[in-house]
C-alpha cells in the first residue's frame, strides 16, 4: 500500500502539485489560526479570571455582609447588656437576638465565675435555632471558661472571630452542626471584664454559600481556616479533618503548598495546577475579615474554562480538514484537466518512440504555454512524420535499387558463368580440329614420302574440314561478341 502510494505520487504530477498546494495552504492556515487561537485562548483565560474573581468577590461580599451584621448585633448587645445584668434579662436578650436576626444560629451570654452567687459558679444564657424553633436555656454547669469562644475575647481584650468548633457538650444544649462564632468581651461601667457575648453562625450555611459558588459546570469552591483546614469543601468528609496541604496529589504538591501558603498569607491570585488528574485553574482571595484568616478559592477545570474554545477549535479543525480535502480534490481535478495535454504529449512521445508517427492529433484551443507546447508538438510530429515518410520513400527506392542491383549482379554472375562455360565449350570445340590439323601436319611432315596419294588426299581433306570448323567457330564467336557489345550499349 505504501509503495503504491509512492508510485502514484511519482507518476502523477497533478497529485504532487495538489498536495504541494494543500501543504502550503495548510502551513499558512496553521500559522494564522494558531496565532488567532492563541489570542483567543489568552482572551478566554483573562475573561475566566475576571469571571471567577467577580464570583469570588460576590461571595466574599455576601459572607462579609452576614458577618458585618453579626458583628453589629453583637457589639450593640455588648454595649447595652451590661446595664441589664439579670439572669432573666440575659435569657431574653439571647432569644430576642435569634428571633430578630435570622442569619444567627446561636447567641450566648456567658458570665464570669460566681458572677451571680445565687446561681452558682456557672451562668450562661444560650439560645439556639433548631430548624424553625428556638430554644433558650441556662446551660448546665460545665467549664466553659476554657472554651475558645470564651477565652479568646477575654485574653485578647477585644472582639474576635474564632475558627470552627464542635458545639457538643454532654448534658448541655448543643448544635449538631459545626459553628463559627464572633466573640465580644462584655465590661461593666468601671471597665471590668464581666463576661462574653458569643454570636454563632453555622459553618454549614457558610459552606453552602461557598460551595454554591460555581461559575462553571464542574467548578468547585473551598474555604480554609487559619491553619489550612477545610471549612468548606464539596467533599464533606474532608471538612475539619483535612488541610489543603495534606490533600494535595503528589504531582501537584508543590503547587498546592504554594497555594496554601498564599491563601493563609491573605493574598489573592490565580494558580494553574493539576486537580484530580486534570489541568485546573485555582482562583483565591481572602475573606478580608480581620482576625479570621479565612480564604476562599474556586477550582475551575481547564476543560470547563476552555469548553467553548475547545468546541470551536474542534469545529474549525473539522471545517479546515474538510476544506483541505475539498481543496485537494479541486486542485487535483483542475491541475489534472490543465495538464491533460501534457499527458497526451507523453503518450504520443511514447508512441513515437515505438515508431508510430501517423496517429492524428487535434490542435489545442488554448493560448497558454501548455497550449502552445501542444500545438508545437503537433507541428513537430507532422514534420517528423513527413520526414519519416520521405525517409521511408527514399529507403524504399534504395531498397528497390538495391534489389535491382542485386538482380543485375546475379544476372552478371550468371552471364559470366555462362561465358565461362561457353568459352570452355569453345575451347574444346576449337581444340579438337586444331589437334586434328596438328596431328595430320605431324604425319605429313614425318611420312610425306611414304604416304599414298589417296592417304595424302584424305589427310588434307580432313585438315581442310578441321580448318573449316575452326573458321566457323571463329565466325560464331565474332557474332556473339558483336551481340554482347550491342546489348551492353
Amino acid at each position: 500500500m505504501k509503495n503504491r502510494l509512492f508510485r502514484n505520487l511519482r507518476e502523477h504530477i497533478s497529485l504532487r502539485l495538489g498536495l504541494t498546494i494543500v501543504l502550503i495552504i495548510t502551513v499558512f492556515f496553521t500559522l494564522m489560526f494558531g496565532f488567532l487561537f492563541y489570542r483567543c485562548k489568552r482572551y478566554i483565560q483573562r475573561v475566566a479570571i475576571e469571571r471567577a474573581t467577580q464570583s469570588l468577590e460576590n461571595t466574599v461580599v455576601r459572607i462579609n455582609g452576614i458577618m458585618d451584621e453579626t458583628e453589629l448585633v453583637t457589639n450593640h448587645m455588648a454595649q447595652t447588656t451590661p446595664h441589664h445584668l439579670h439572669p432573666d434579662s440575659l435569657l431574653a436578650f439571647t432569644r430576642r437576638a435569634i428571633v430578630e436576626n435570622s442569619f444567627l444560629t446561636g447567641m450566648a451570654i456567658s458570665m464570669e465565675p460566681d458572677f451571680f452567687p445565687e446561681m452558682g459558679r456557672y451562668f450562661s444564657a444560650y439560645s439556639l435555632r433548631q430548624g424553625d424553633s428556638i430554644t433558650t436555656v441556662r446551660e448546665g454547669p460545665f467549664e466553659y471558661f476554657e472554651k475558645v469562644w470564651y477565652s479568646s475575647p477575654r485574653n485578647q481584650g477585644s472582639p474576635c472571630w474564632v475558627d470552627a468548633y464542635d458545639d457538643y457538650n454532654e448534658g448541655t444544649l448543643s448544635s449538631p452542626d459545626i459553628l463559627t462564632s464572633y466573640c465580644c468581651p462584655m465590661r461593666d461601667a468601671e471597665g471590668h471584664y464581666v463576661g462574653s457575648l458569643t454570636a454563632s453562625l453555622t459553618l454549614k450555611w457558610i459552606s453552602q454559600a461557598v460551595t454554591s459558588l460555581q461559575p462553571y459546570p464542574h467548578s468547585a469552591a473551598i474555604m480554609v481556616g487559619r491553619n489550612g483546614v477545610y471549612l468548606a469543601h464539596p467533599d464533606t468528609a474532608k471538612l475539619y479533618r483535612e488541610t489543603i496541604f495534606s490533600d494535595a496529589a503528589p504531582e501537584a504538591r508543590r503547587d498546592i503548598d504554594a497555594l496554601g501558603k498564599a491563601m493563609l498569607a491573605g493574598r489573592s491570585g490565580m494558580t494553574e495546577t493539576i486537580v484530580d488528574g486534570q489541568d485546573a485553574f485555582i482562583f483565591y482571595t481572602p475573606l478580608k475579615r480581620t482576625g479570621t484568616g479565612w480564604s476562599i478559592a474556586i477550582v475551575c477545570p481547564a476543560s470547563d474554562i476552555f469548553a467553548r474554545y475547545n468546541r470551536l477549535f474542534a469545529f474549525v479543525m473539522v471545517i479546515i480538514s474538510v476544506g483541505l480535502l475539498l481543496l485537494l480534490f479541486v486542485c487535483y481535478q483542475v491541475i489534472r484537466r490543465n495538464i491533460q495535454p501534457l499527458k497526451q504529449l507523453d503518450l504520443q512521445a511514447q508512441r513515437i518512440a515505438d515508431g508510430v508517427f501517423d496517429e492524428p492529433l487535434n490542435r489545442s484551443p488554448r493560448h497558454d504555454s501548455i497550449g502552445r507546447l501542444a500545438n508545437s508538438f503537433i507541428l513537430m510530429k507532422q514534420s517528423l512524420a513527413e520526414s519519416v515518410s520521405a525517409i521511408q520513400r527514399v529507403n524504399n527506392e534504395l531498397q528497390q535499387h538495391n534489389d535491382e542491383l542485386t538482380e543485375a549482379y546475379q544476372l552478371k554472375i550468371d552471364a559470366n558463368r555462362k561465358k565461362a562455360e561457353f568459352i570452355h565449350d569453345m575451347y574444346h570445340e576449337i581444340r579438337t580440329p586444331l589437334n586434328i590439323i596438328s596431328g595430320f601436319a605431324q604425319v605429313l611432315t614425318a611420312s610425306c614420302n611414304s604416304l599414298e596419294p589417296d592417304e595424302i588426299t584424305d589427310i588434307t581433306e580432313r585438315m581442310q574440314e578441321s580448318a573449316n570448323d575452326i573458321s566457323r567457330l571463329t565466325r560464331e564467336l565474332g557474332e556473339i561478341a558483336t551481340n554482347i557489345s550491342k546489348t551492353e550499349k
Side-chain angles (χ1 to χ4, degrees):
M1 184 66 182
K2 186 176 180 180
N3 294 333
R4 182 179 179 184
L5 178 61
F6 285 144
R7 186 169 63 252
N8 288 334
L9 287 175
R10 288 195 302 268
E11 296 177 354
H12 294 80
I13 186 174
S14 55
L15 183 58
R16 289 204 308 274
L17 288 175
L19 286 175
T20 302
I21 294 173
V22 170
L23 179 61
I24 294 173
I25 294 177
T26 300
V27 172
F28 172 76
F29 274 100
T30 299
L31 295 175
M32 182 180 69
F33 280 102
F35 175 76
L36 291 178
F37 275 105
Y38 170 77
R39 297 294 299 174
C40 180
K41 190 171 185 179
R42 298 295 297 176
Y43 172 77
I44 291 174
Q45 184 173 340
R46 185 170 66 253
V47 171
I49 294 174
E50 294 175 357
R51 181 178 178 181
T53 302
Q54 186 62 44
S55 298
L56 279 174
E57 293 295 334
N58 292 340
T59 303
V60 168
V61 168
R62 181 183 176 189
I63 295 175
N64 281 340
I66 298 299
M67 298 178 77
D68 285 341
E69 292 188 32
T70 302
E71 292 181 5
L72 182 63
V73 170
T74 307
N75 292 335
H76 178 71
M77 288 185 64
Q79 294 176 1
T80 58
T81 300
H83 302 292
H84 306 280
L85 295 177
H86 187 275
D88 293 336
S89 298
L90 299 182
L91 290 170
F93 290 160
T94 61
R95 185 176 185 87
R96 187 173 65 184
I98 298 299
V99 171
E100 293 177 353
N101 300 281
S102 60
F103 52 86
L104 291 179
T105 300
M107 174 65 74
I109 301 177
S110 305
M111 306 305 295
E112 281 283 82
D114 300 317
F115 186 82
F116 299 117
E118 69 278 12
M119 296 292 182
R121 175 176 174 79
Y122 312 100
F123 181 84
S124 178
Y126 186 38
S127 292
L128 179 67
R129 188 189 304 276
Q130 295 175 310
D132 295 332
S133 63
I134 299 175
T135 304
T136 302
V137 297
R138 175 197 171 192
E139 292 194 289
F142 73 101
E143 289 291 331
Y144 58 78
F145 308 113
E146 302 301 326
K147 294 293 183 180
V148 65
W149 47 265
Y150 186 87
S151 60
S152 294
R154 181 178 185 181
N155 295 334
Q156 296 180 17
S158 61
C160 63
W161 283 92
V162 296
D163 270 344
Y165 61 91
D166 189 350
D167 188 44
Y168 177 75
N169 292 288
E170 187 175 358
T172 65
L173 179 64
S174 301
S175 171
D177 298 319
I178 302 297
L179 302 178
T180 184
S181 298
Y182 177 71
C183 308
C184 185
M186 192 168 53
R187 303 181 184 278
D188 58 16
E190 287 78 21
H192 299 124
Y193 183 83
V194 297
S196 69
L197 278 164
T198 304
S200 300
L201 302 175
T202 175
L203 202 62
K204 182 178 181 181
W205 175 87
I206 298 178
S207 179
Q208 289 175 347
V210 173
T211 54
S212 64
L213 178 61
Q214 197 172 21
Y216 295 97
H218 301 94
S219 60
I222 61 172
M223 185 169 70
V224 298
R226 291 188 182 93
N227 56 358
V229 68
Y230 286 125
L231 303 180
H233 196 282
D235 185 359
T236 56
K238 296 182 179 181
L239 296 177
Y240 333 118
R241 295 179 178 85
E242 292 190 23
T243 67
I244 189 173
F245 302 104
S246 63
D247 191 36
E251 64 272 16
R253 186 172 301 279
R254 179 178 299 178
D255 295 333
I256 297 300
D257 286 347
L259 171 66
K261 293 177 181 178
M263 292 177 70
L264 295 183
R267 294 196 294 269
S268 299
M270 183 273 292
T271 186
E272 186 175 358
T273 185
I274 298 175
V275 178
D276 296 332
Q278 295 182 352
D279 292 336
F281 292 87
I282 301 180
F283 307 91
Y284 56 93
T285 189
L287 198 57
K288 298 179 182 178
R289 175 61 56 181
T290 303
T292 62
W294 298 351
S295 187
I296 302 175
I298 305 176
V299 181
C300 299
S303 57
D304 276 9
I305 293 177
F306 298 110
R308 292 185 179 179
Y309 168 84
N310 293 333
R311 288 196 297 269
L312 177 62
F313 182 80
F315 178 75
V316 171
M317 287 299 103
V318 171
I319 294 298
I320 291 177
S321 300
V322 174
L324 289 176
L325 290 177
L326 291 176
L327 178 63
L328 175 61
F329 176 76
V330 172
C331 289
Y332 174 75
Q333 293 297 330
V334 171
I335 295 173
R336 181 171 175 268
R337 185 177 62 183
N338 279 275
I339 67 172
Q340 187 66 29
L342 295 180
K343 294 184 66 175
Q344 294 179 354
L345 294 181
D346 180 42
L347 294 176
Q348 289 300 320
Q350 293 180 7
R351 297 289 291 169
I352 291 174
D354 295 335
V356 180
F357 302 94
D358 56 352
E359 288 186 355
L361 288 176
N362 297 325
R363 290 183 62 84
S364 175
R366 296 169 53 173
H367 301 284
D368 55 6
S369 299
I370 294 179
R372 292 194 298 271
L373 175 63
N375 293 330
S376 299
F377 183 85
I378 292 173
L379 295 176
M380 180 190 72
K381 183 181 178 183
Q382 292 174 350
S383 300
L384 184 61
E386 293 174 358
S387 300
V388 170
S389 298
I391 292 173
Q392 287 178 346
R393 287 195 301 270
V394 172
N395 287 337
N396 292 333
E397 293 175 357
L398 289 174
Q399 184 64 37
Q400 183 178 1
H401 186 63
N402 287 335
D403 292 341
E404 293 175 353
L405 290 176
T406 301
E407 184 179 359
Y409 178 73
Q410 189 63 39
L411 290 174
K412 186 174 182 180
I413 292 175
D414 292 340
N416 290 333
R417 179 177 56 77
K418 289 180 180 180
K419 288 179 182 180
E421 291 177 353
F422 175 75
I423 291 172
H424 183 71
D425 292 341
M426 288 297 103
Y427 170 74
H428 287 287
E429 290 289 336
I430 293 173
R431 184 179 179 183
T432 299
L434 285 176
N435 288 334
I436 292 173
I437 292 172
S438 177
F440 281 128
Q442 289 176 3
V443 171
L444 290 175
T445 302
S447 305
C448 178
N449 296 324
S450 61
L451 293 174
E452 293 291 335
D454 294 337
E455 291 178 347
I456 294 172
T457 300
D458 182 57
I459 291 171
T460 57
E461 289 179 352
R462 290 187 177 183
M463 290 179 68
Q464 186 63 42
E465 291 177 355
S466 297
N468 291 334
D469 289 338
I470 292 173
S471 177
R472 180 180 55 81
L473 291 174
T474 304
R475 193 168 54 250
E476 289 178 354
L477 285 174
E479 292 176 354
I480 291 172
T482 301
N483 291 333
I484 290 175
S485 298
K486 292 181 178 179
T487 301
E488 290 178 351
K489 292 180 178 178

